[in-house]
Coordinates of all heavy atoms in Angstrom, one line a residue:
M1 N -6.3 -21.0 -44.6 CA -5.7 -19.8 -45.1 C -6.5 -18.6 -44.5 O -5.8 -17.6 -44.2 CB -5.9 -19.8 -46.7 CG -5.3 -18.6 -47.3 SD -5.0 -18.7 -49.0 CE -6.6 -18.1 -49.6
E2 N -7.8 -18.8 -44.3 CA -8.6 -17.7 -43.7 C -8.1 -17.4 -42.3 O -7.8 -16.2 -42.0 CB -10.0 -18.2 -43.6 CG -10.9 -17.2 -42.9 CD -12.4 -17.9 -42.8 OE1 -12.5 -19.1 -43.1 OE2 -13.2 -17.1 -42.3
L3 N -7.8 -18.4 -41.4 CA -7.3 -18.1 -40.1 C -6.0 -17.5 -40.1 O -5.6 -16.7 -39.2 CB -7.3 -19.4 -39.3 CG -8.8 -19.8 -38.8 CD1 -8.7 -21.2 -38.1 CD2 -9.4 -18.8 -37.8
Y4 N -5.2 -17.9 -41.0 CA -3.8 -17.4 -41.2 C -3.8 -15.9 -41.3 O -3.2 -15.1 -40.6 CB -3.1 -18.0 -42.4 CG -1.7 -17.4 -42.7 CD1 -0.6 -17.7 -42.0 CD2 -1.6 -16.4 -43.7 CE1 0.6 -17.1 -42.3 CE2 -0.5 -15.8 -44.0 CZ 0.7 -16.1 -43.3 OH 1.9 -15.5 -43.6
F5 N -4.7 -15.4 -42.3 CA -4.8 -14.0 -42.5 C -5.4 -13.3 -41.3 O -5.0 -12.2 -41.0 CB -5.6 -13.6 -43.8 CG -4.8 -13.9 -45.0 CD1 -5.1 -14.9 -45.9 CD2 -3.6 -13.1 -45.3 CE1 -4.4 -15.1 -47.1 CE2 -2.9 -13.3 -46.5 CZ -3.2 -14.3 -47.3
Y6 N -6.4 -13.9 -40.7 CA -7.0 -13.2 -39.5 C -6.0 -12.9 -38.4 O -6.1 -12.0 -37.7 CB -8.2 -14.1 -39.0 CG -9.4 -14.1 -39.8 CD1 -10.3 -15.2 -39.8 CD2 -9.8 -13.0 -40.4 CE1 -11.5 -15.2 -40.5 CE2 -11.1 -12.9 -41.2 CZ -11.9 -14.0 -41.2 OH -13.0 -14.0 -41.9
K7 N -5.1 -13.9 -38.3 CA -4.1 -13.8 -37.2 C -2.9 -12.8 -37.6 O -2.4 -12.2 -36.7 CB -3.5 -15.1 -36.9 CG -4.5 -16.0 -36.3 CD -3.9 -17.4 -36.0 CE -4.9 -18.3 -35.4 NZ -4.5 -19.6 -35.1
K8 N -2.7 -12.6 -38.9 CA -1.6 -11.7 -39.4 C -2.0 -10.2 -39.5 O -1.2 -9.4 -39.4 CB -1.1 -12.2 -40.7 CG -0.4 -13.5 -40.6 CD 0.9 -13.4 -39.9 CE 1.6 -14.7 -39.9 NZ 2.9 -14.6 -39.0
V9 N -3.3 -10.0 -39.8 CA -3.7 -8.6 -40.1 C -3.8 -7.7 -38.8 O -4.0 -8.3 -37.7 CB -5.1 -8.5 -40.8 CG1 -4.9 -9.3 -42.2 CG2 -6.2 -9.1 -40.0
N10 N -3.8 -6.4 -38.9 CA -4.0 -5.5 -37.8 C -5.4 -5.3 -37.4 O -5.8 -5.1 -36.2 CB -3.4 -4.2 -38.1 CG -1.9 -4.2 -38.4 OD1 -1.2 -5.0 -37.7 ND2 -1.3 -3.5 -39.3
R11 N -6.3 -5.3 -38.4 CA -7.8 -5.0 -38.2 C -8.6 -5.9 -39.1 O -8.3 -6.1 -40.2 CB -8.1 -3.6 -38.5 CG -7.4 -2.7 -37.5 CD -7.8 -1.2 -37.7 NE -7.1 -0.3 -36.8 CZ -5.9 0.2 -37.0 NH1 -5.3 0.1 -38.2 NH2 -5.4 1.1 -36.1
I12 N -9.7 -6.2 -38.6 CA -10.8 -7.0 -39.3 C -12.1 -6.3 -39.3 O -12.5 -6.0 -38.1 CB -10.9 -8.4 -38.8 CG1 -9.6 -9.2 -38.8 CG2 -12.0 -9.1 -39.6 CD1 -9.6 -10.4 -38.0
T13 N -12.7 -5.9 -40.4 CA -14.0 -5.3 -40.3 C -15.1 -6.3 -40.7 O -14.9 -7.0 -41.7 CB -14.0 -4.1 -41.4 OG1 -13.0 -3.2 -41.1 CG2 -15.4 -3.4 -41.3
V14 N -16.1 -6.4 -39.9 CA -17.1 -7.3 -40.1 C -18.5 -6.5 -40.2 O -18.6 -5.4 -39.7 CB -17.2 -8.4 -39.0 CG1 -16.0 -9.2 -39.0 CG2 -17.4 -7.8 -37.6
V15 N -19.5 -7.1 -40.9 CA -20.7 -6.3 -41.1 C -21.9 -6.9 -40.3 O -23.0 -6.3 -40.4 CB -21.1 -6.3 -42.6 CG1 -20.0 -5.5 -43.4 CG2 -21.2 -7.7 -43.2
T16 N -21.7 -8.0 -39.5 CA -22.7 -8.5 -38.7 C -22.2 -8.9 -37.4 O -21.1 -9.3 -37.3 CB -23.4 -9.7 -39.3 OG1 -22.5 -10.9 -39.4 CG2 -23.9 -9.4 -40.7
K17 N -23.1 -8.9 -36.4 CA -22.8 -9.4 -35.0 C -22.3 -10.8 -35.0 O -21.5 -11.3 -34.3 CB -23.9 -9.0 -34.0 CG -23.6 -9.5 -32.6 CD -22.8 -8.5 -31.9 CE -22.7 -8.7 -30.4 NZ -21.6 -9.5 -30.0
G18 N -23.0 -11.6 -35.9 CA -22.8 -13.0 -36.0 C -21.4 -13.4 -36.4 O -20.8 -14.2 -35.9
I19 N -20.9 -12.6 -37.4 CA -19.6 -12.8 -37.9 C -18.6 -12.4 -36.8 O -17.6 -13.1 -36.6 CB -19.3 -12.0 -39.2 CG1 -20.2 -12.5 -40.3 CG2 -17.8 -12.1 -39.6 CD1 -20.2 -11.5 -41.6
Q20 N -18.9 -11.3 -36.1 CA -18.0 -10.9 -35.0 C -17.9 -12.0 -34.0 O -16.8 -12.4 -33.5 CB -18.5 -9.6 -34.4 CG -17.7 -9.1 -33.3 CD -18.3 -7.9 -32.6 OE1 -19.5 -7.7 -32.6 NE2 -17.4 -6.9 -32.3
D21 N -19.1 -12.5 -33.6 CA -19.1 -13.6 -32.6 C -18.4 -14.8 -33.0 O -17.7 -15.5 -32.3 CB -20.5 -13.9 -32.2 CG -21.3 -12.8 -31.5 OD1 -20.6 -11.9 -31.0 OD2 -22.5 -12.9 -31.5
D22 N -18.5 -15.2 -34.3 CA -17.8 -16.3 -34.8 C -16.2 -16.2 -34.8 O -15.5 -17.1 -34.3 CB -18.2 -16.6 -36.3 CG -17.4 -17.7 -36.9 OD1 -17.7 -18.9 -36.4 OD2 -16.7 -17.6 -37.8
L23 N -15.8 -14.9 -35.1 CA -14.3 -14.7 -35.0 C -13.8 -14.7 -33.5 O -12.7 -15.3 -33.2 CB -14.0 -13.3 -35.6 CG -14.2 -13.3 -37.1 CD1 -13.8 -11.9 -37.7 CD2 -13.3 -14.3 -37.9
L24 N -14.6 -14.2 -32.6 CA -14.3 -14.3 -31.2 C -14.3 -15.7 -30.7 O -13.4 -16.1 -30.0 CB -15.3 -13.4 -30.4 CG -15.2 -12.0 -30.6 CD1 -16.4 -11.3 -30.0 CD2 -13.9 -11.4 -30.1
H25 N -15.2 -16.5 -31.2 CA -15.3 -18.0 -30.8 C -14.0 -18.7 -31.3 O -13.5 -19.6 -30.7 CB -16.5 -18.5 -31.5 CG -16.6 -20.0 -31.2 ND1 -17.0 -20.6 -30.0 CD2 -16.4 -21.1 -32.0 CE1 -17.0 -21.9 -30.0 NE2 -16.7 -22.3 -31.2
R26 N -13.5 -18.2 -32.5 CA -12.3 -18.8 -33.1 C -11.0 -18.2 -32.5 O -9.9 -18.3 -33.1 CB -12.3 -18.7 -34.6 CG -13.4 -19.5 -35.2 CD -13.2 -19.9 -36.6 NE -13.9 -18.9 -37.5 CZ -13.6 -18.7 -38.7 NH1 -12.7 -19.5 -39.3 NH2 -14.2 -17.9 -39.4
K27 N -11.1 -17.5 -31.4 CA -10.0 -16.9 -30.7 C -9.2 -15.8 -31.4 O -8.0 -15.6 -31.1 CB -8.9 -18.1 -30.3 CG -9.6 -19.3 -29.6 CD -10.0 -18.9 -28.3 CE -10.5 -20.2 -27.6 NZ -11.7 -20.1 -26.8
I28 N -9.9 -15.1 -32.2 CA -9.4 -13.8 -32.9 C -9.5 -12.8 -31.8 O -10.6 -12.6 -31.2 CB -10.1 -13.5 -34.1 CG1 -10.1 -14.7 -35.1 CG2 -9.5 -12.2 -34.8 CD1 -8.7 -15.1 -35.6
P29 N -8.4 -12.0 -31.5 CA -8.5 -11.0 -30.5 C -9.6 -9.9 -30.7 O -9.7 -9.4 -31.8 CB -7.1 -10.4 -30.4 CG -6.2 -11.4 -31.1 CD -7.0 -12.2 -32.0
E30 N -10.4 -9.6 -29.7 CA -11.5 -8.7 -29.9 C -10.9 -7.3 -30.4 O -11.6 -6.6 -31.1 CB -12.2 -8.5 -28.6 CG -13.4 -7.6 -28.7 CD -14.2 -7.7 -27.4 OE1 -13.9 -8.2 -26.4 OE2 -15.3 -7.0 -27.4
K31 N -9.8 -6.9 -29.9 CA -9.2 -5.6 -30.3 C -9.0 -5.4 -31.8 O -8.8 -4.3 -32.3 CB -8.0 -5.3 -29.5 CG -6.8 -6.2 -29.9 CD -5.6 -5.9 -29.0 CE -4.4 -6.8 -29.5 NZ -3.2 -6.5 -28.7
K32 N -8.9 -6.6 -32.6 CA -8.7 -6.5 -34.0 C -10.0 -6.4 -34.8 O -10.0 -6.0 -36.0 CB -8.0 -7.9 -34.5 CG -6.6 -8.0 -34.2 CD -6.1 -9.3 -34.9 CE -4.7 -9.4 -34.8 NZ -4.2 -10.6 -35.6
I33 N -11.1 -6.7 -34.2 CA -12.4 -6.8 -34.9 C -13.2 -5.5 -34.7 O -13.5 -5.0 -33.6 CB -13.2 -8.0 -34.3 CG1 -12.4 -9.3 -34.4 CG2 -14.5 -8.1 -35.1 CD1 -13.0 -10.5 -33.7
Y34 N -13.6 -5.0 -35.9 CA -14.4 -3.8 -35.9 C -15.8 -4.1 -36.5 O -15.9 -4.5 -37.7 CB -13.7 -2.6 -36.6 CG -12.5 -2.2 -35.9 CD1 -11.3 -2.8 -36.1 CD2 -12.6 -1.0 -35.0 CE1 -10.2 -2.4 -35.4 CE2 -11.5 -0.6 -34.4 CZ -10.3 -1.3 -34.5 OH -9.2 -0.8 -33.8
L35 N -16.8 -3.9 -35.9 CA -18.2 -4.2 -36.4 C -18.7 -2.9 -37.0 O -18.9 -1.8 -36.3 CB -19.1 -4.6 -35.3 CG -20.6 -4.8 -35.6 CD1 -20.8 -5.9 -36.7 CD2 -21.5 -5.0 -34.5
I36 N -18.9 -3.0 -38.3 CA -19.5 -1.8 -39.1 C -20.7 -2.4 -39.8 O -20.5 -3.0 -40.9 CB -18.5 -1.1 -40.0 CG1 -17.3 -0.6 -39.2 CG2 -19.2 0.0 -40.8 CD1 -16.2 0.0 -40.0
T37 N -21.9 -2.1 -39.4 CA -23.0 -2.7 -40.0 C -23.3 -1.9 -41.3 O -22.9 -0.8 -41.5 CB -24.3 -2.6 -39.1 OG1 -24.4 -1.3 -38.7 CG2 -24.1 -3.5 -37.9
N38 N -24.0 -2.6 -42.2 CA -24.4 -2.0 -43.5 C -25.3 -0.8 -43.3 O -26.1 -0.8 -42.4 CB -25.1 -2.9 -44.4 CG -24.1 -4.0 -44.9 OD1 -23.0 -3.7 -45.2 ND2 -24.5 -5.2 -45.1
G39 N -25.1 0.2 -44.1 CA -25.9 1.4 -44.0 C -25.1 2.6 -44.1 O -23.8 2.5 -44.3
V40 N -25.7 3.8 -44.2 CA -25.0 5.0 -44.4 C -25.7 6.2 -43.6 O -26.9 6.2 -43.6 CB -24.8 5.3 -45.8 CG1 -26.1 5.7 -46.6 CG2 -23.9 6.5 -46.1
N41 N -24.9 7.1 -43.1 CA -25.5 8.2 -42.5 C -25.5 9.3 -43.6 O -24.5 9.9 -43.9 CB -24.6 8.7 -41.3 CG -25.1 9.9 -40.6 OD1 -25.9 10.7 -41.2 ND2 -24.6 10.1 -39.4
T42 N -26.7 9.6 -44.1 CA -26.8 10.5 -45.2 C -26.5 12.0 -44.8 O -26.2 12.7 -45.7 CB -28.2 10.4 -45.8 OG1 -29.2 10.8 -44.8 CG2 -28.5 9.1 -46.4
E43 N -26.4 12.3 -43.5 CA -26.0 13.6 -43.1 C -24.6 13.8 -43.3 O -24.1 14.9 -43.6 CB -26.4 13.9 -41.6 CG -27.8 13.9 -41.4 CD -28.6 15.0 -42.1 OE1 -28.1 16.1 -42.1 OE2 -29.6 14.7 -42.7
V44 N -23.7 12.7 -43.2 CA -22.3 12.8 -43.4 C -22.0 12.7 -44.8 O -21.0 13.3 -45.3 CB -21.6 11.6 -42.5 CG1 -20.2 11.6 -42.8 CG2 -21.9 11.9 -41.1
F45 N -22.6 11.7 -45.6 CA -22.2 11.4 -47.0 C -23.2 12.0 -48.0 O -23.5 11.3 -49.0 CB -22.0 9.9 -47.1 CG -21.1 9.3 -46.2 CD1 -21.3 8.6 -45.0 CD2 -19.7 9.5 -46.6 CE1 -20.4 8.1 -44.3 CE2 -18.7 8.9 -45.8 CZ -19.1 8.2 -44.6
N46 N -23.6 13.3 -47.8 CA -24.5 13.7 -48.8 C -23.9 14.9 -49.6 O -24.5 15.6 -50.4 CB -25.8 14.3 -48.2 CG -25.6 15.4 -47.2 OD1 -24.5 15.7 -46.9 ND2 -26.7 16.0 -46.7
K47 N -22.6 15.2 -49.4 CA -21.9 16.3 -50.1 C -21.2 15.7 -51.3 O -20.7 14.7 -51.4 CB -20.9 16.8 -49.1 CG -21.5 17.4 -47.8 CD -20.4 17.8 -46.8 CE -21.1 18.3 -45.6 NZ -20.9 17.5 -44.5
I48 N -21.3 16.6 -52.3 CA -20.5 16.3 -53.5 C -19.2 16.9 -53.4 O -19.0 18.2 -53.2 CB -21.3 16.9 -54.8 CG1 -22.7 16.2 -54.9 CG2 -20.5 16.7 -56.0 CD1 -23.5 16.8 -56.0
T49 N -18.2 16.1 -53.6 CA -16.8 16.7 -53.5 C -16.0 16.3 -54.8 O -16.3 15.2 -55.4 CB -16.1 16.1 -52.3 OG1 -16.0 14.7 -52.4 CG2 -16.7 16.6 -51.0
D50 N -15.1 17.0 -55.1 CA -14.2 16.7 -56.2 C -12.9 16.2 -55.7 O -12.0 17.0 -55.5 CB -14.0 17.9 -57.1 CG -13.1 17.7 -58.3 OD1 -13.0 16.5 -58.8 OD2 -12.5 18.6 -58.9
I51 N -12.8 14.9 -55.5 CA -11.5 14.3 -54.9 C -10.9 13.6 -56.1 O -11.3 12.6 -56.6 CB -11.9 13.3 -53.8 CG1 -12.6 14.0 -52.6 CG2 -10.6 12.7 -53.3 CD1 -13.1 13.1 -51.6
Q52 N -9.7 14.1 -56.5 CA -8.9 13.5 -57.6 C -8.2 12.2 -57.1 O -8.1 11.3 -57.9 CB -7.8 14.5 -58.1 CG -8.4 15.8 -58.6 CD -9.3 15.5 -59.8 OE1 -8.9 14.7 -60.7 NE2 -10.4 16.2 -60.0
N53 N -7.7 12.2 -56.0 CA -7.0 11.0 -55.4 C -7.6 10.7 -54.1 O -7.0 11.3 -53.1 CB -5.5 11.2 -55.4 CG -4.8 10.0 -55.0 OD1 -5.3 9.1 -54.4 ND2 -3.5 10.0 -55.4
P54 N -8.5 9.8 -53.9 CA -9.1 9.5 -52.6 C -8.0 8.9 -51.6 O -8.1 9.2 -50.4 CB -10.2 8.5 -52.9 CG -9.9 7.9 -54.2 CD -9.1 9.0 -55.0
Y55 N -7.1 8.2 -52.1 CA -6.0 7.7 -51.2 C -5.3 8.8 -50.6 O -5.0 8.8 -49.4 CB -5.1 6.7 -51.9 CG -5.8 5.5 -52.5 CD1 -6.1 5.3 -53.8 CD2 -6.3 4.5 -51.6 CE1 -6.8 4.3 -54.2 CE2 -6.9 3.4 -52.0 CZ -7.3 3.3 -53.4 OH -7.9 2.2 -53.9
K56 N -4.9 9.8 -51.4 CA -4.1 11.0 -50.8 C -5.0 11.7 -49.9 O -4.6 12.2 -48.8 CB -3.6 11.9 -52.0 CG -2.8 13.0 -51.5 CD -2.1 13.7 -52.7 CE -1.2 14.8 -52.2 NZ -0.6 15.5 -53.3
F57 N -6.3 11.9 -50.3 CA -7.3 12.7 -49.4 C -7.4 12.0 -48.1 O -7.5 12.8 -47.1 CB -8.6 12.7 -50.1 CG -9.7 13.4 -49.4 CD1 -9.8 14.8 -49.3 CD2 -10.6 12.6 -48.7 CE1 -10.8 15.4 -48.6 CE2 -11.6 13.2 -47.9 CZ -11.7 14.6 -47.9
L58 N -7.3 10.7 -48.0 CA -7.5 10.0 -46.7 C -6.2 9.8 -46.0 O -6.1 9.1 -45.0 CB -8.2 8.7 -47.0 CG -9.6 8.8 -47.5 CD1 -10.2 7.4 -47.9 CD2 -10.5 9.3 -46.4
G59 N -5.1 10.2 -46.6 CA -3.7 10.1 -46.0 C -3.2 8.7 -46.1 O -2.4 8.2 -45.4
L60 N -3.7 8.0 -47.3 CA -3.2 6.6 -47.5 C -2.4 6.4 -48.7 O -2.2 5.3 -49.2 CB -4.5 5.7 -47.5 CG -5.4 5.7 -46.3 CD1 -6.7 5.0 -46.7 CD2 -4.8 5.1 -45.1
D61 N -1.9 7.5 -49.3 CA -1.3 7.4 -50.6 C 0.1 6.7 -50.5 O 0.6 6.1 -51.5 CB -1.1 8.7 -51.3 CG -0.4 9.8 -50.4 OD1 -0.4 9.6 -49.1 OD2 0.2 10.7 -51.0
D62 N 0.7 6.5 -49.4 CA 2.0 5.8 -49.2 C 1.8 4.5 -48.5 O 2.7 3.9 -48.1 CB 2.9 6.7 -48.5 CG 2.6 7.1 -47.0 OD1 1.4 6.9 -46.8 OD2 3.4 7.4 -46.3
K63 N 0.6 4.0 -48.4 CA 0.3 2.8 -47.7 C 0.0 1.6 -48.7 O -0.4 1.8 -49.8 CB -0.9 2.9 -46.8 CG -0.8 4.0 -45.8 CD 0.2 3.8 -44.7 CE 0.2 4.9 -43.7 NZ 1.3 4.9 -42.9
F64 N 0.4 0.4 -48.3 CA -0.1 -0.8 -49.0 C -1.4 -1.2 -48.5 O -1.5 -1.5 -47.3 CB 1.1 -1.9 -48.9 CG 0.7 -3.2 -49.6 CD1 0.8 -3.3 -51.0 CD2 0.3 -4.3 -48.8 CE1 0.5 -4.4 -51.6 CE2 0.0 -5.4 -49.5 CZ 0.1 -5.5 -50.8
I65 N -2.4 -1.2 -49.3 CA -3.7 -1.5 -48.9 C -4.3 -2.8 -49.7 O -4.2 -2.9 -50.9 CB -4.6 -0.3 -49.2 CG1 -4.1 0.8 -48.4 CG2 -6.1 -0.6 -48.8 CD1 -4.7 2.1 -48.9
I66 N -4.9 -3.7 -48.9 CA -5.6 -4.8 -49.5 C -7.0 -4.8 -48.9 O -7.2 -4.6 -47.8 CB -4.9 -6.2 -49.1 CG1 -3.5 -6.3 -49.7 CG2 -5.8 -7.3 -49.6 CD1 -2.8 -7.5 -49.2
V67 N -7.9 -4.8 -49.9 CA -9.3 -4.8 -49.5 C -10.0 -6.1 -50.0 O -9.9 -6.5 -51.1 CB -10.1 -3.6 -50.1 CG1 -11.6 -3.7 -49.8 CG2 -9.5 -2.3 -49.6
Y68 N -10.6 -6.8 -49.0 CA -11.4 -8.0 -49.3 C -12.8 -7.8 -48.9 O -13.0 -7.5 -47.7 CB -10.8 -9.2 -48.6 CG -11.6 -10.5 -48.7 CD1 -11.7 -11.2 -49.8 CD2 -12.3 -10.9 -47.6 CE1 -12.5 -12.3 -50.0 CE2 -13.1 -12.0 -47.6 CZ -13.2 -12.7 -48.8 OH -14.0 -13.8 -48.9
A69 N -13.7 -7.8 -49.9 CA -15.1 -7.5 -49.5 C -16.0 -8.6 -50.1 O -16.4 -8.5 -51.2 CB -15.5 -6.1 -49.9
G70 N -16.1 -9.7 -49.4 CA -17.0 -10.8 -49.9 C -16.4 -12.1 -49.7 O -15.5 -12.3 -48.9
V71 N -16.9 -13.0 -50.5 CA -16.6 -14.4 -50.4 C -15.8 -14.8 -51.7 O -16.3 -14.5 -52.8 CB -17.8 -15.3 -50.2 CG1 -17.5 -16.7 -50.1 CG2 -18.6 -14.8 -48.9
I72 N -14.7 -15.4 -51.5 CA -14.0 -16.0 -52.7 C -13.7 -17.4 -52.4 O -13.2 -17.7 -51.3 CB -12.6 -15.2 -52.9 CG1 -12.8 -13.7 -53.1 CG2 -11.8 -15.9 -54.0 CD1 -11.6 -12.9 -53.2
G73 N -14.1 -18.3 -53.4 CA -13.8 -19.7 -53.2 C -14.1 -20.5 -54.4 O -14.6 -20.0 -55.4
I74 N -14.0 -21.8 -54.3 CA -14.2 -22.8 -55.3 C -15.7 -22.6 -55.9 O -15.9 -22.6 -57.1 CB -14.0 -24.2 -54.9 CG1 -12.5 -24.4 -54.6 CG2 -14.4 -25.2 -55.9 CD1 -12.1 -25.7 -53.9
P75 N -16.7 -22.4 -55.0 CA -18.0 -22.2 -55.6 C -18.2 -21.0 -56.5 O -19.1 -21.0 -57.3 CB -18.9 -22.1 -54.4 CG -18.2 -22.7 -53.2 CD -16.7 -22.5 -53.6
H76 N -17.3 -20.0 -56.4 CA -17.3 -18.9 -57.2 C -16.4 -19.0 -58.5 O -16.1 -18.0 -59.1 CB -16.9 -17.7 -56.4 CG -17.7 -17.6 -55.1 ND1 -17.3 -18.1 -53.9 CD2 -19.0 -17.1 -55.0 CE1 -18.4 -17.8 -53.1 NE2 -19.3 -17.3 -53.7
G77 N -15.9 -20.2 -58.7 CA -15.1 -20.4 -59.9 C -13.6 -20.0 -59.7 O -12.9 -19.8 -60.7
V78 N -13.2 -19.7 -58.5 CA -11.8 -19.3 -58.2 C -10.9 -20.5 -58.1 O -11.1 -21.4 -57.3 CB -11.7 -18.4 -57.0 CG1 -10.3 -18.1 -56.7 CG2 -12.5 -17.2 -57.1
T79 N -9.9 -20.7 -59.0 CA -9.0 -21.8 -59.0 C -7.7 -21.4 -58.3 O -7.2 -22.2 -57.5 CB -8.8 -22.3 -60.4 OG1 -10.0 -22.6 -61.0 CG2 -7.9 -23.6 -60.4
Y80 N -7.3 -20.2 -58.5 CA -6.0 -19.8 -57.9 C -6.2 -18.5 -57.2 O -6.9 -17.6 -57.6 CB -4.9 -19.7 -59.1 CG -4.7 -20.8 -59.9 CD1 -5.4 -21.0 -61.1 CD2 -3.9 -21.8 -59.4 CE1 -5.1 -22.1 -61.9 CE2 -3.7 -23.0 -60.2 CZ -4.3 -23.1 -61.4 OH -4.1 -24.2 -62.2
I81 N -5.5 -18.4 -56.1 CA -5.4 -17.2 -55.3 C -4.0 -16.6 -55.4 O -3.1 -17.2 -55.1 CB -5.8 -17.4 -53.8 CG1 -7.1 -18.0 -53.6 CG2 -5.7 -16.1 -53.0 CD1 -8.3 -17.2 -54.0
P82 N -3.9 -15.3 -56.0 CA -2.6 -14.8 -56.1 C -2.0 -14.5 -54.7 O -2.7 -14.2 -53.8 CB -2.8 -13.4 -56.9 CG -4.2 -13.2 -56.7 CD -4.9 -14.5 -56.5
K83 N -0.7 -14.5 -54.7 CA 0.0 -14.2 -53.4 C 1.1 -13.2 -53.6 O 1.5 -13.0 -54.7 CB 0.5 -15.4 -52.7 CG 1.6 -16.1 -53.4 CD 2.1 -17.2 -52.5 CE 3.3 -18.0 -53.1 NZ 4.0 -18.8 -52.2

């Protein structure tokens, strides 16, 4: 199922070079993979803003968005995956 989604999505964000290398080894096109390591630039993200709708602010209010951040599987007590 994992490889199915990797092949169908437009972009894949990974947080380590090792994960990036693994996907490349599994023949996922490099142009789909974006390496964004953990951390934050405090010069960019130190402002307090009043954003009522972050999706609209980012121009994503009319988009279908799925975010997967982490590991989901049997060891985590997941029996069913919605589709």
